[in-house]
Amino acid sequence: MKFTKRKSLSGSGIDLAPIVDVVFNLLIFFALTLNFAISSGIKVNLPKATGEIIEIKDVNINISRDGKVYFNDVLMNSTNSLKQEFQKIPDKDTLIIIRADSEAMHGPVVSTMDLAKNQGFSKIAIGVEPKQ
C-alpha cells in the first residue's frame, strides 16, 4: 500500500477578512462616538444644545442679558464679591454651572470662568436647554 501526501487547497493561515471587517466597524463606531461625546430661579434665556442633564446640587452662576452675575440667586455687585463667594467653598471639586443668557455678552461669561479656574475649581460647566 502506497500512501501519498495530499496538498490542501486552502492555506493553514488565518482568514483576515473578518478581522479587518471587525476592526473597521470598531473604528467607525469610535469615530462617531467621539463626535457626539459630556438651573435656578434667575430667568435667563439659555442657548439650546444637546448634552447630558445634570442635577442641580452644586454652585449655580447665572449671567443675565445685561451682564449681571448672580451667585446662587444672589446678585454679585463686583468681581471681588464673587471671588469671596468662591473662597467660601471648601471643596474645590464642586461643579460650577454657569447659566448665561443666550443674548449675554461673552465677556462676563469668560471672566467668570477664569475667576473660578483661578480659585482652584476644575469642574466648570455651561448650562443649556435641551434641543427638542
Side-chain angles (χ1 to χ4, degrees):
M1 217 188 233
K2 256 186 168 181
F3 292 103
T4 61
K5 198 175 195 183
R6 283 205 253 173
K7 292 184 179 180
S8 71
L9 296 177
S10 65
S12 62
I14 298 173
D15 188 15
L16 292 179
I19 296 173
V20 171
D21 288 343
V22 169
V23 170
F24 184 68
N25 282 328
L26 286 173
L27 180 68
I28 290 173
F29 173 75
F30 287 121
L32 290 176
T33 304
L34 286 175
N35 283 337
F36 298 111
I38 229 278
S39 308
S40 106
I42 305 299
K43 181 67 178 149
V44 289
N45 231 354
L46 294 176
K48 304 225 182 290
T50 57
E52 65 179 297
I53 297 173
I54 300 172
E55 286 187 34
I56 303 169
K57 58 184 175 189
D58 295 307
V59 175
N60 290 300
I61 297 175
N62 294 309
I63 301 174
S64 65
R65 179 184 302 181
D66 56 356
K68 292 181 181 174
V69 178
Y70 296 86
F71 183 91
N72 287 339
D73 298 337
V74 177
L75 178 63
M76 296 288 109
N77 294 322
S78 68
T79 306
N80 285 337
S81 58
L82 183 60
K83 184 177 180 179
Q84 290 172 356
E85 291 295 328
F86 280 140
Q87 290 173 346
K88 291 179 186 176
I89 303 171
D91 185 14
K92 298 303 179 187
D93 280 340
T94 302
L95 176 64
I96 307 293
I97 302 172
I98 299 175
R99 301 176 69 240
D101 193 283
S102 62
E103 296 179 13
M105 297 295 287
H106 191 67
V109 177
V110 172
S111 63
T112 303
M113 290 174 71
D114 188 47
L115 184 62
K117 189 74 167 168
N118 288 337
Q119 293 300 313
F121 295 97
S122 59
K123 295 181 179 179
I124 302 171
I126 302 292
V128 296
E129 289 287 330
K131 279 189 176 179
Q132 299 294 345

